Amino acid sequence: MSGVLGTQAYTNYFKVNGGYRQGGITAAMPAGSFFGALSSSFIADKLSRKTTIQIASVVWILGSLLQSTSNGISLLVVGRAVSGLSIGVASTIVPVYQAEIAPKEIRGRVVSLQQWAITWGILIQYFIQYGCSFTGGGPKNRNQGTAAFRIPWALQIIPAIFLLIGLFFFPKSPRWLASQDRWDEAIQVLADLHCGGDINHPRILAEYREIEEALTFERELAQSSAKALTQHRMLKRIILGMSIQMWSQLSGVNVMMYYIVYVMQGAGINDPLLTASIQYIINVVLTLPAIIFLDTWGRRPLLLLGSLGMMCCLTVSGALQGAFGRPNPGTNRELDAISWVISDHPRVSKGIVACSYLFVATFAVTWGPTSWTYPAEIFPGKIRAKAVSLATATNWGWNCALAFAVPPLLWSINWKMYMIFAAFNAVAFIHMFLTAPETKGKTLEEMDEVFDSGLPAWRSVPKGSRLDRLEKEIEQGNVKVDAPRPSEAALVPMDPKGQQLLPPLTPEKRMDRHQKRNWFL
């Protein structure tokens, strides 16, 4: 959206220039995303993660068509809301799908690829908008044609088509297949993804055993997913996942992405569209280190350091604007959307731009990828899609509120708004320090041990993974696990509800299950 805000074509055609009207247009997409996120889990649990993402692709195509053909604010808002539904579904289920197919050693890297893809999408779309802004006489021509915004909005259809078609060549989630008692398919997918198709590899047999035991335990509890969400021990995790997504938005990144053009205009930058584009490049480039090192550095340090870094950037930026800025005298028509400007202080303007760049760099390395990775990996399989949908809906709910509120806030309290977001980052640091344990190196099935260990968040659970130990035992012949064969799948007895009746538990397994049941209670 930011790439068209600075064009005369957009301003004249839709008769907007900041304020609540622009806030409403911008907020339509995250509002749709909020409802898309809430509905996504029901589709994903029923039809599979892969099919749900394909449905989201079709909805995105429809929304882009409505936006690019809009003849007024009403249709534009509807188009952005429809596209938002797609974003809400995809942003919820893609991390779940990635977490469920990735090995534990690189799960953070795989899930954070979504954030990198998002930054690439923002960058490419921004430069498409920037290039199209020169059509019809350029962005400052009062008679500029509507191609300046219709072309970039229509081109959004292309990646959705590629995603829709490309997913036909991807496997379904092995953990979703297991939840549907399609064990032969599940273990084959695991083998294809992790061990070159060898279903008898010790790592695959160990993973199969882990997933089977976790699923059996969930079924022994005989709880609906809705009831499981309200269990005290699970409720703490859900609040943590929702809080991470909330703090991600309250960090201030909303301002720096949606309304960076206004920030640059207020700082007295001559070419705000070009200067803002550098920020999107920084966002792409500096997300890459997080992808590479997230599974080495860990999630917790990035959350804590990111909050501190963003707090400092916002504090300095707000202080510079408060000390050297003044109310907009209204002598420049191009600055009508902002109320506070800096003029005749080139060094201060450069300092504000530098703080903006440093802020985005900090977010890209820390909270950007981690805020999507962490919620996708901390929940058990039975409630994973629903819990992640609540966390993602929280993200989009705050995104919507801020997209609507930031333009009038920039107008009414200008530089003081930066201090508010700096304070949010300070609170986020304290909250994460007290409640967010480290999860790197653990399988999805081991998250109960991480969160139910009784240790405070700042003390990590013992290093190593149960999966690695089980793999070693299988490799040494101390534990025997037989992989299900397609020919055997039809012979597995089923209960009246159509669920697989798994073999009886050994006394050792039953004791372990009773211990885990105590954790639930």
Side-chain angles (χ1 to χ4, degrees):
M1 194 74 195
S2 59
V4 302
L5 291 180
T7 64
Q8 291 296 316
Y10 176 82
T11 302
N12 294 334
Y13 190 82
F14 293 106
K15 303 295 188 296
V16 294
N17 202 356
Y20 286 106
R21 180 174 291 186
Q22 179 56 54
I25 294 172
T26 306
M29 185 170 285
S33 300
F34 175 80
F35 292 103
L38 288 178
S39 63
S40 61
S41 62
F42 300 98
I43 307 172
D45 286 338
K46 182 72 175 177
L47 301 180
S48 83
R49 287 40 167 149
K50 185 179 89 167
T51 302
T52 302
I53 300 170
Q54 290 180 302
I55 292 172
S57 302
V58 175
V59 176
W60 176 263
I61 292 171
L62 175 60
S64 298
L65 285 171
L66 292 174
Q67 290 179 71
S68 60
T69 59
S70 58
N71 58 359
I73 291 179
S74 298
L75 189 57
L76 175 60
V77 168
V78 170
R80 286 181 60 79
V82 171
S83 293
L85 285 171
S86 168
I87 294 175
V89 172
S91 61
T92 300
I93 303 306
V94 167
V96 172
Y97 178 71
Q98 291 171 315
E100 290 183 345
I101 67 173
K104 64 180 179 59
E105 293 85 0
I106 61 169
R107 186 177 61 245
R109 186 179 306 171
V110 171
V111 178
S112 60
L113 281 172
Q114 172 184 261
Q115 176 64 17
W116 199 41
I118 290 172
T119 62
W120 269 109
I122 294 172
L123 176 67
I124 293 170
Q125 180 67 351
Y126 183 87
F127 274 111
I128 290 174
Q129 292 174 342
Y130 181 71
C132 291
S133 70
F134 291 98
T135 62
K140 297 183 180 181
N141 181 11
R142 296 189 180 185
N143 298 316
Q144 186 182 32
T146 59
F149 58 81
R150 294 195 191 279
I151 292 175
W153 290 346
L155 290 176
Q156 295 177 132
I157 295 172
I158 296 175
I161 294 175
F162 278 106
L163 179 61
L164 174 63
I165 297 173
L167 278 170
F168 283 109
F169 302 95
F170 279 66
K172 286 183 168 63
S173 162
R175 286 171 170 85
W176 179 83
L177 289 169
S179 71
Q180 304 299 307
D181 294 318
R182 294 159 63 175
W183 288 99
D184 54 315
E185 296 176 68
I187 197 168
Q188 189 61 61
V189 170
L190 285 172
D192 291 340
L193 290 173
H194 301 169
C195 291
D198 181 8
I199 63 173
N200 292 307
H201 191 283
R203 166 55 64 95
I204 299 305
L205 296 176
E207 260 193 290
Y208 161 66
R209 171 65 68 84
E210 286 276 288
I211 296 172
E212 178 266 330
E213 289 188 355
L215 186 59
T216 303
F217 175 54
E218 291 170 2
R219 288 177 176 175
E220 282 183 343
L221 290 175
Q223 289 180 333
S224 66
S225 57
K227 184 177 180 181
L229 284 170
T230 60
Q231 291 290 323
H232 176 69
R233 59 183 293 276
M234 243 356 103
L235 200 57
K236 291 190 295 183
R237 269 187 253 184
I238 291 170
I239 292 173
L240 176 59
M242 294 173 68
S243 297
I244 287 177
Q245 291 286 24
M246 177 188 72
W247 292 127
S248 174
Q249 288 300 312
L250 291 178
S251 68
V253 70
N254 186 288
V255 182
M256 298 304 178
M257 290 301 173
Y258 281 142
Y259 301 111
I260 185 59
V261 172
Y262 292 164
V263 174
M264 296 300 177
Q265 286 177 336
I269 303 302
N270 291 328
D271 193 343
L273 286 174
L274 180 60
T275 308
S277 68
I278 299 174
Q279 174 171 279
Y280 295 105
I281 296 174
I282 293 172
N283 196 24
V284 170
V285 173
L286 288 182
T287 301
L288 192 56
I291 293 174
I292 297 173
F293 298 110
L294 182 58
D295 291 299
T296 303
W297 296 340
R299 286 65 158 152
R300 180 178 167 85
L302 293 182
L303 292 173
L304 297 177
L305 293 174
S307 294
L308 284 177
M310 290 186 291
M311 178 188 69
C312 294
C313 293
L314 290 169
T315 301
V316 173
S317 182
L320 289 174
Q321 293 182 58
F324 296 95
R326 59 189 176 88
N328 185 1
T331 56
N332 187 344
R333 183 176 179 271
E334 296 178 10
L335 301 180
D336 285 349
I338 55 179
S339 64
W340 194 262
V341 295
I342 293 175
S343 57
D344 303 324
H345 295 287
R347 291 185 179 179
V348 173
S349 297
K350 291 177 182 178
I352 293 171
V353 173
C355 286
S356 299
Y357 290 164
L358 287 172
F359 174 90
V360 171
T362 304
F363 182 85
V365 175
T366 58
W367 276 79
T370 310
S371 62
W372 292 107
T373 301
Y374 200 93
E377 64 186 5
I378 64 176
F379 302 108
K382 187 170 187 175
I383 66 168
R384 184 173 297 124
K386 290 183 174 61
V388 175
S389 75
L390 290 174
T392 307
T394 303
N395 177 297
W396 291 116
W398 282 102
N399 190 306
C400 176
L402 292 172
F404 184 76
V406 163
L409 281 175
L410 276 172
W411 180 268
S412 58
I413 64 174
N414 37 73
W415 64 270
K416 302 180 187 71
M417 185 183 67
Y418 291 83
M419 301 305 185
I420 295 175
F421 285 113
F424 285 146
N425 279 291
V427 177
F429 174 85
I430 298 172
H431 187 192
M432 292 301 102
F433 179 82
L434 295 175
T435 62
E438 184 56 67
T439 59
K440 72 171 183 178
K442 301 294 184 180
T443 66
L444 298 180
E445 288 70 37
E446 290 179 290
M447 290 301 158
D448 285 347
E449 296 180 9
V450 173
F451 283 90
D452 300 328
S453 65
L455 296 174
W458 56 89
R459 291 182 58 192
S460 60
V461 296
K463 293 183 179 181
S465 170
R466 187 175 64 230
L467 179 67
D468 296 331
R469 294 191 293 270
L470 180 57
E471 179 187 359
K472 187 175 181 180
E473 290 290 323
I474 294 173
E475 193 171 8
Q476 293 174 346
N478 298 329
V479 175
K480 182 174 177 55
V481 178
D482 294 322
R485 304 284 180 179
S487 58
E488 300 170 354
L491 302 177
V492 176
M494 311 294 280
D495 68 12
K497 296 182 179 179
Q499 292 186 332
Q500 177 179 330
L501 294 173
L502 297 169
L505 300 176
T506 64
E508 293 79 8
K509 282 188 180 179
R510 192 172 298 279
M511 178 62 69
D512 183 56
R513 299 287 163 75
H514 282 301
Q515 292 173 349
K516 290 183 178 178
R517 183 180 290 108
N518 290 336
W519 292 345
F520 268 87
L521 300 175

